[in-house]
PDB file of all heavy atoms in Angstrom:
ATOM      1  N   GLY A  11       1.062  29.242   6.168  1.00  0.00           N
ATOM      2  CA  GLY A  11       0.452  29.417   4.859  1.00  0.00           C
ATOM      3  C   GLY A  11      -0.585  28.359   4.596  1.00  0.00           C
ATOM      4  O   GLY A  11      -0.938  27.576   5.477  1.00  0.00           O
ATOM      5  N   HIS A  12      -1.102  28.333   3.366  1.00  0.00           N
ATOM      6  CA  HIS A  12      -2.124  27.367   2.997  1.00  0.00           C
ATOM      7  C   HIS A  12      -1.528  26.290   2.098  1.00  0.00           C
ATOM      8  O   HIS A  12      -0.613  26.547   1.320  1.00  0.00           O
ATOM      9  CB  HIS A  12      -3.276  28.077   2.274  1.00  0.00           C
ATOM     10  CG  HIS A  12      -4.011  29.048   3.142  1.00  0.00           C
ATOM     11  ND1 HIS A  12      -3.820  30.412   3.057  1.00  0.00           N
ATOM     12  CD2 HIS A  12      -4.917  28.861   4.126  1.00  0.00           C
ATOM     13  CE1 HIS A  12      -4.591  31.022   3.952  1.00  0.00           C
ATOM     14  NE2 HIS A  12      -5.265  30.097   4.603  1.00  0.00           N
ATOM     15  N   ILE A  13      -2.075  25.117   2.208  1.00  0.00           N
ATOM     16  CA  ILE A  13      -1.593  24.003   1.401  1.00  0.00           C
ATOM     17  C   ILE A  13      -2.057  24.174  -0.038  1.00  0.00           C
ATOM     18  O   ILE A  13      -3.157  24.669  -0.302  1.00  0.00           O
ATOM     19  CB  ILE A  13      -2.083  22.659   1.986  1.00  0.00           C
ATOM     20  CG1 ILE A  13      -1.324  21.493   1.367  1.00  0.00           C
ATOM     21  CG2 ILE A  13      -3.577  22.487   1.778  1.00  0.00           C
ATOM     22  CD1 ILE A  13      -1.545  20.188   2.107  1.00  0.00           C
ATOM     23  N   ARG A  14      -1.216  23.769  -0.963  1.00  0.00           N
ATOM     24  CA  ARG A  14      -1.558  23.808  -2.380  1.00  0.00           C
ATOM     25  C   ARG A  14      -2.130  22.449  -2.770  1.00  0.00           C
ATOM     26  O   ARG A  14      -1.625  21.411  -2.361  1.00  0.00           O
ATOM     27  CB  ARG A  14      -0.341  24.146  -3.234  1.00  0.00           C
ATOM     28  CG  ARG A  14       0.315  25.480  -2.888  1.00  0.00           C
ATOM     29  CD  ARG A  14       1.322  25.885  -3.936  1.00  0.00           C
ATOM     30  NE  ARG A  14       0.661  26.239  -5.198  1.00  0.00           N
ATOM     31  CZ  ARG A  14       0.207  27.459  -5.473  1.00  0.00           C
ATOM     32  NH1 ARG A  14       0.323  28.440  -4.587  1.00  0.00           N
ATOM     33  NH2 ARG A  14      -0.375  27.704  -6.630  1.00  0.00           N
ATOM     34  N   PHE A  15      -3.165  22.480  -3.576  1.00  0.00           N
ATOM     35  CA  PHE A  15      -3.834  21.241  -3.970  1.00  0.00           C
ATOM     36  C   PHE A  15      -2.862  20.273  -4.646  1.00  0.00           C
ATOM     37  O   PHE A  15      -2.932  19.065  -4.425  1.00  0.00           O
ATOM     38  CB  PHE A  15      -5.003  21.565  -4.914  1.00  0.00           C
ATOM     39  CG  PHE A  15      -5.775  20.364  -5.354  1.00  0.00           C
ATOM     40  CD1 PHE A  15      -6.674  19.737  -4.513  1.00  0.00           C
ATOM     41  CD2 PHE A  15      -5.589  19.828  -6.636  1.00  0.00           C
ATOM     42  CE1 PHE A  15      -7.383  18.616  -4.923  1.00  0.00           C
ATOM     43  CE2 PHE A  15      -6.291  18.718  -7.057  1.00  0.00           C
ATOM     44  CZ  PHE A  15      -7.191  18.104  -6.197  1.00  0.00           C
ATOM     45  N   GLU A  16      -1.949  20.807  -5.460  1.00  0.00           N
ATOM     46  CA  GLU A  16      -0.998  19.952  -6.175  1.00  0.00           C
ATOM     47  C   GLU A  16      -0.120  19.151  -5.214  1.00  0.00           C
ATOM     48  O   GLU A  16       0.312  18.038  -5.523  1.00  0.00           O
ATOM     49  CB  GLU A  16      -0.100  20.774  -7.100  1.00  0.00           C
ATOM     50  CG  GLU A  16      -0.839  21.501  -8.215  1.00  0.00           C
ATOM     51  CD  GLU A  16      -1.177  22.927  -7.830  1.00  0.00           C
ATOM     52  OE1 GLU A  16      -1.432  23.176  -6.628  1.00  0.00           O
ATOM     53  OE2 GLU A  16      -1.200  23.781  -8.741  1.00  0.00           O
ATOM     54  N   ASP A  17       0.126  19.707  -4.023  1.00  0.00           N
ATOM     55  CA  ASP A  17       1.002  19.037  -3.062  1.00  0.00           C
ATOM     56  C   ASP A  17       0.350  17.813  -2.420  1.00  0.00           C
ATOM     57  O   ASP A  17       1.027  17.021  -1.757  1.00  0.00           O
ATOM     58  CB  ASP A  17       1.433  20.015  -1.964  1.00  0.00           C
ATOM     59  CG  ASP A  17       2.290  21.147  -2.510  1.00  0.00           C
ATOM     60  OD1 ASP A  17       2.895  20.961  -3.590  1.00  0.00           O
ATOM     61  OD2 ASP A  17       2.348  22.215  -1.870  1.00  0.00           O
ATOM     62  N   LEU A  18      -0.957  17.671  -2.590  1.00  0.00           N
ATOM     63  CA  LEU A  18      -1.657  16.513  -2.028  1.00  0.00           C
ATOM     64  C   LEU A  18      -1.426  15.252  -2.855  1.00  0.00           C
ATOM     65  O   LEU A  18      -1.712  14.136  -2.401  1.00  0.00           O
ATOM     66  CB  LEU A  18      -3.157  16.795  -1.932  1.00  0.00           C
ATOM     67  CG  LEU A  18      -3.571  17.937  -0.995  1.00  0.00           C
ATOM     68  CD1 LEU A  18      -5.079  18.175  -1.078  1.00  0.00           C
ATOM     69  CD2 LEU A  18      -3.168  17.613   0.441  1.00  0.00           C
ATOM     70  N   TRP A 161     -14.882  23.829  -6.113  1.00  0.00           N
ATOM     71  CA  TRP A 161     -14.250  24.393  -4.926  1.00  0.00           C
ATOM     72  C   TRP A 161     -15.085  25.520  -4.352  1.00  0.00           C
ATOM     73  O   TRP A 161     -16.033  26.021  -4.959  1.00  0.00           O
ATOM     74  CB  TRP A 161     -12.851  24.905  -5.263  1.00  0.00           C
ATOM     75  CG  TRP A 161     -12.535  25.013  -6.709  1.00  0.00           C
ATOM     76  CD1 TRP A 161     -11.833  24.123  -7.449  1.00  0.00           C
ATOM     77  CD2 TRP A 161     -12.927  26.059  -7.603  1.00  0.00           C
ATOM     78  NE1 TRP A 161     -11.755  24.551  -8.752  1.00  0.00           N
ATOM     79  CE2 TRP A 161     -12.419  25.739  -8.881  1.00  0.00           C
ATOM     80  CE3 TRP A 161     -13.651  27.240  -7.456  1.00  0.00           C
ATOM     81  CZ2 TRP A 161     -12.606  26.555  -9.984  1.00  0.00           C
ATOM     82  CZ3 TRP A 161     -13.855  28.063  -8.554  1.00  0.00           C
ATOM     83  CH2 TRP A 161     -13.329  27.706  -9.797  1.00  0.00           C
ATOM     84  N   SER A 165     -10.989  32.166   0.975  1.00  0.00           N
ATOM     85  CA  SER A 165     -11.032  32.223   2.431  1.00  0.00           C
ATOM     86  C   SER A 165      -9.621  32.184   3.000  1.00  0.00           C
ATOM     87  O   SER A 165      -8.700  31.661   2.357  1.00  0.00           O
ATOM     88  CB  SER A 165     -11.847  31.047   2.980  1.00  0.00           C
ATOM     89  OG  SER A 165     -11.762  30.984   4.387  1.00  0.00           O
ATOM     90  N   TRP A 169      -7.523  25.917   7.167  1.00  0.00           N
ATOM     91  CA  TRP A 169      -7.642  24.715   6.344  1.00  0.00           C
ATOM     92  C   TRP A 169      -7.989  25.009   4.884  1.00  0.00           C
ATOM     93  O   TRP A 169      -8.248  24.090   4.100  1.00  0.00           O
ATOM     94  CB  TRP A 169      -8.694  23.768   6.941  1.00  0.00           C
ATOM     95  CG  TRP A 169     -10.041  24.402   7.117  1.00  0.00           C
ATOM     96  CD1 TRP A 169     -11.049  24.462   6.211  1.00  0.00           C
ATOM     97  CD2 TRP A 169     -10.517  25.078   8.293  1.00  0.00           C
ATOM     98  NE1 TRP A 169     -12.139  25.133   6.726  1.00  0.00           N
ATOM     99  CE2 TRP A 169     -11.842  25.519   8.009  1.00  0.00           C
ATOM    100  CE3 TRP A 169      -9.970  25.354   9.547  1.00  0.00           C
ATOM    101  CZ2 TRP A 169     -12.611  26.213   8.943  1.00  0.00           C
ATOM    102  CZ3 TRP A 169     -10.737  26.052  10.473  1.00  0.00           C
ATOM    103  CH2 TRP A 169     -12.043  26.476  10.170  1.00  0.00           C
ATOM    104  N   ALA A 170      -7.998  26.280   4.502  1.00  0.00           N
ATOM    105  CA  ALA A 170      -8.274  26.640   3.106  1.00  0.00           C
ATOM    106  C   ALA A 170      -7.194  26.052   2.200  1.00  0.00           C
ATOM    107  O   ALA A 170      -6.042  25.873   2.611  1.00  0.00           O
ATOM    108  CB  ALA A 170      -8.328  28.153   2.957  1.00  0.00           C
ATOM    109  N   ILE A 171      -7.577  25.732   0.974  1.00  0.00           N
ATOM    110  CA  ILE A 171      -6.676  25.079   0.019  1.00  0.00           C
ATOM    111  C   ILE A 171      -6.580  25.929  -1.251  1.00  0.00           C
ATOM    112  O   ILE A 171      -7.577  26.498  -1.702  1.00  0.00           O
ATOM    113  CB  ILE A 171      -7.179  23.667  -0.321  1.00  0.00           C
ATOM    114  CG1 ILE A 171      -7.119  22.777   0.930  1.00  0.00           C
ATOM    115  CG2 ILE A 171      -6.366  23.042  -1.453  1.00  0.00           C
ATOM    116  CD1 ILE A 171      -7.668  21.384   0.730  1.00  0.00           C
ATOM    117  N   ILE A 172      -5.384  25.991  -1.803  1.00  0.00           N
ATOM    118  CA  ILE A 172      -5.175  26.733  -3.048  1.00  0.00           C
ATOM    119  C   ILE A 172      -5.376  25.761  -4.213  1.00  0.00           C
ATOM    120  O   ILE A 172      -4.501  24.948  -4.529  1.00  0.00           O
ATOM    121  CB  ILE A 172      -3.761  27.346  -3.093  1.00  0.00           C
ATOM    122  CG1 ILE A 172      -3.556  28.275  -1.898  1.00  0.00           C
ATOM    123  CG2 ILE A 172      -3.559  28.104  -4.399  1.00  0.00           C
ATOM    124  CD1 ILE A 172      -2.145  28.826  -1.789  1.00  0.00           C
ATOM    125  N   PHE A 173      -6.548  25.821  -4.827  1.00  0.00           N
ATOM    126  CA  PHE A 173      -6.842  24.994  -5.988  1.00  0.00           C
ATOM    127  C   PHE A 173      -6.296  25.678  -7.235  1.00  0.00           C
ATOM    128  O   PHE A 173      -6.342  26.910  -7.339  1.00  0.00           O
ATOM    129  CB  PHE A 173      -8.353  24.770  -6.134  1.00  0.00           C
ATOM    130  CG  PHE A 173      -8.961  23.940  -5.044  1.00  0.00           C
ATOM    131  CD1 PHE A 173      -9.524  24.548  -3.924  1.00  0.00           C
ATOM    132  CD2 PHE A 173      -8.980  22.560  -5.133  1.00  0.00           C
ATOM    133  CE1 PHE A 173     -10.093  23.788  -2.908  1.00  0.00           C
ATOM    134  CE2 PHE A 173      -9.545  21.794  -4.126  1.00  0.00           C
ATOM    135  CZ  PHE A 173     -10.101  22.402  -3.007  1.00  0.00           C
ATOM    136  N   PRO A 174      -5.800  24.919  -8.204  1.00  0.00           N
ATOM    137  CA  PRO A 174      -5.244  25.525  -9.417  1.00  0.00           C
ATOM    138  C   PRO A 174      -6.325  25.962 -10.407  1.00  0.00           C
ATOM    139  O   PRO A 174      -7.426  25.419 -10.421  1.00  0.00           O
ATOM    140  CB  PRO A 174      -4.391  24.404 -10.012  1.00  0.00           C
ATOM    141  CG  PRO A 174      -5.103  23.153  -9.586  1.00  0.00           C
ATOM    142  CD  PRO A 174      -5.634  23.454  -8.199  1.00  0.00           C
ATOM    143  N   ARG A 175      -5.992  26.974 -11.200  1.00  0.00           N
ATOM    144  CA  ARG A 175      -6.823  27.426 -12.315  1.00  0.00           C
ATOM    145  C   ARG A 175      -8.240  27.815 -11.886  1.00  0.00           C
ATOM    146  O   ARG A 175      -9.216  27.447 -12.496  1.00  0.00           O
ATOM    147  CB  ARG A 175      -6.861  26.359 -13.413  1.00  0.00           C
ATOM    148  CG  ARG A 175      -5.505  26.025 -14.001  1.00  0.00           C
ATOM    149  CD  ARG A 175      -5.595  24.947 -15.063  1.00  0.00           C
ATOM    150  NE  ARG A 175      -6.088  23.689 -14.522  1.00  0.00           N
ATOM    151  CZ  ARG A 175      -5.327  22.815 -13.869  1.00  0.00           C
ATOM    152  NH1 ARG A 175      -4.046  23.052 -13.660  1.00  0.00           N
ATOM    153  NH2 ARG A 175      -5.850  21.691 -13.412  1.00  0.00           N
ATOM    154  N   THR A 176      -8.337  28.558 -10.788  1.00  0.00           N
ATOM    155  CA  THR A 176      -9.653  29.008 -10.323  1.00  0.00           C
ATOM    156  C   THR A 176      -9.948  30.455 -10.726  1.00  0.00           C
ATOM    157  O   THR A 176     -11.068  30.934 -10.519  1.00  0.00           O
ATOM    158  CB  THR A 176      -9.763  28.898  -8.793  1.00  0.00           C
ATOM    159  OG1 THR A 176      -8.814  29.797  -8.188  1.00  0.00           O
ATOM    160  CG2 THR A 176      -9.494  27.480  -8.333  1.00  0.00           C
ATOM    161  N   PRO A 182      -2.971  35.268  -9.407  1.00  0.00           N
ATOM    162  CA  PRO A 182      -2.656  34.238  -8.410  1.00  0.00           C
ATOM    163  C   PRO A 182      -3.927  33.583  -7.882  1.00  0.00           C
ATOM    164  O   PRO A 182      -4.922  34.266  -7.584  1.00  0.00           O
ATOM    165  CB  PRO A 182      -1.925  35.010  -7.315  1.00  0.00           C
ATOM    166  CG  PRO A 182      -2.456  36.411  -7.436  1.00  0.00           C
ATOM    167  CD  PRO A 182      -2.680  36.627  -8.907  1.00  0.00           C
ATOM    168  N   ASP A 183      -3.921  32.247  -7.773  1.00  0.00           N
ATOM    169  CA  ASP A 183      -5.075  31.534  -7.235  1.00  0.00           C
ATOM    170  C   ASP A 183      -5.167  31.768  -5.732  1.00  0.00           C
ATOM    171  O   ASP A 183      -4.181  31.564  -5.009  1.00  0.00           O
ATOM    172  CB  ASP A 183      -4.947  30.033  -7.506  1.00  0.00           C
ATOM    173  CG  ASP A 183      -5.177  29.685  -8.961  1.00  0.00           C
ATOM    174  OD1 ASP A 183      -6.289  29.948  -9.445  1.00  0.00           O
ATOM    175  OD2 ASP A 183      -4.240  29.173  -9.607  1.00  0.00           O
ATOM    176  N   PRO A 184      -6.339  32.174  -5.244  1.00  0.00           N
ATOM    177  CA  PRO A 184      -6.501  32.389  -3.799  1.00  0.00           C
ATOM    178  C   PRO A 184      -6.765  31.064  -3.072  1.00  0.00           C
ATOM    179  O   PRO A 184      -7.179  30.080  -3.684  1.00  0.00           O
ATOM    180  CB  PRO A 184      -7.722  33.301  -3.722  1.00  0.00           C
ATOM    181  CG  PRO A 184      -8.546  32.872  -4.893  1.00  0.00           C
ATOM    182  CD  PRO A 184      -7.568  32.535  -5.986  1.00  0.00           C
ATOM    183  N   ALA A 185      -6.527  31.066  -1.776  1.00  0.00           N
ATOM    184  CA  ALA A 185      -6.912  29.913  -0.958  1.00  0.00           C
ATOM    185  C   ALA A 185      -8.434  29.902  -0.850  1.00  0.00           C
ATOM    186  O   ALA A 185      -9.067  30.958  -0.775  1.00  0.00           O
ATOM    187  CB  ALA A 185      -6.272  30.018   0.417  1.00  0.00           C
ATOM    188  N   ARG A 186      -9.014  28.713  -0.853  1.00  0.00           N
ATOM    189  CA  ARG A 186     -10.472  28.603  -0.873  1.00  0.00           C
ATOM    190  C   ARG A 186     -10.974  27.569   0.140  1.00  0.00           C
ATOM    191  O   ARG A 186     -10.240  26.665   0.550  1.00  0.00           O
ATOM    192  CB  ARG A 186     -10.949  28.186  -2.280  1.00  0.00           C
ATOM    193  CG  ARG A 186     -10.644  29.215  -3.362  1.00  0.00           C
ATOM    194  CD  ARG A 186     -11.064  28.695  -4.723  1.00  0.00           C
ATOM    195  NE  ARG A 186     -10.867  29.702  -5.759  1.00  0.00           N
ATOM    196  CZ  ARG A 186     -11.736  30.660  -6.059  1.00  0.00           C
ATOM    197  NH1 ARG A 186     -12.883  30.714  -5.403  1.00  0.00           N
ATOM    198  NH2 ARG A 186     -11.479  31.535  -7.011  1.00  0.00           N
ATOM    199  N   HIS A 187     -12.238  27.716   0.480  1.00  0.00           N
ATOM    200  CA  HIS A 187     -12.891  26.699   1.313  1.00  0.00           C
ATOM    201  C   HIS A 187     -12.913  25.369   0.540  1.00  0.00           C
ATOM    202  O   HIS A 187     -13.299  25.344  -0.632  1.00  0.00           O
ATOM    203  CB  HIS A 187     -14.336  27.097   1.604  1.00  0.00           C
ATOM    204  CG  HIS A 187     -14.507  28.138   2.659  1.00  0.00           C
ATOM    205  ND1 HIS A 187     -14.256  27.910   3.988  1.00  0.00           N
ATOM    206  CD2 HIS A 187     -14.908  29.433   2.561  1.00  0.00           C
ATOM    207  CE1 HIS A 187     -14.506  29.001   4.680  1.00  0.00           C
ATOM    208  NE2 HIS A 187     -14.893  29.957   3.845  1.00  0.00           N
ATOM    209  N   PRO A 188     -12.523  24.252   1.175  1.00  0.00           N
ATOM    210  CA  PRO A 188     -12.695  22.941   0.533  1.00  0.00           C
ATOM    211  C   PRO A 188     -14.151  22.495   0.698  1.00  0.00           C
ATOM    212  O   PRO A 188     -14.464  21.574   1.461  1.00  0.00           O
ATOM    213  CB  PRO A 188     -11.728  22.043   1.307  1.00  0.00           C
ATOM    214  CG  PRO A 188     -11.693  22.660   2.673  1.00  0.00           C
ATOM    215  CD  PRO A 188     -11.824  24.146   2.459  1.00  0.00           C
TER     216      PRO A 188
END
Side-chain angles (χ1 to χ4, degrees):
H12 295 103
I13 194 168
R14 302 192 69 87
F15 181 76
E16 297 95 327
D17 295 337
L18 297 176
W161 13 261
S165 173
W169 56 88
I171 295 177
I172 302 175
F173 293 94
R175 300 179 298 279
T176 64
D183 287 298
R186 296 176 176 275
H187 282 290

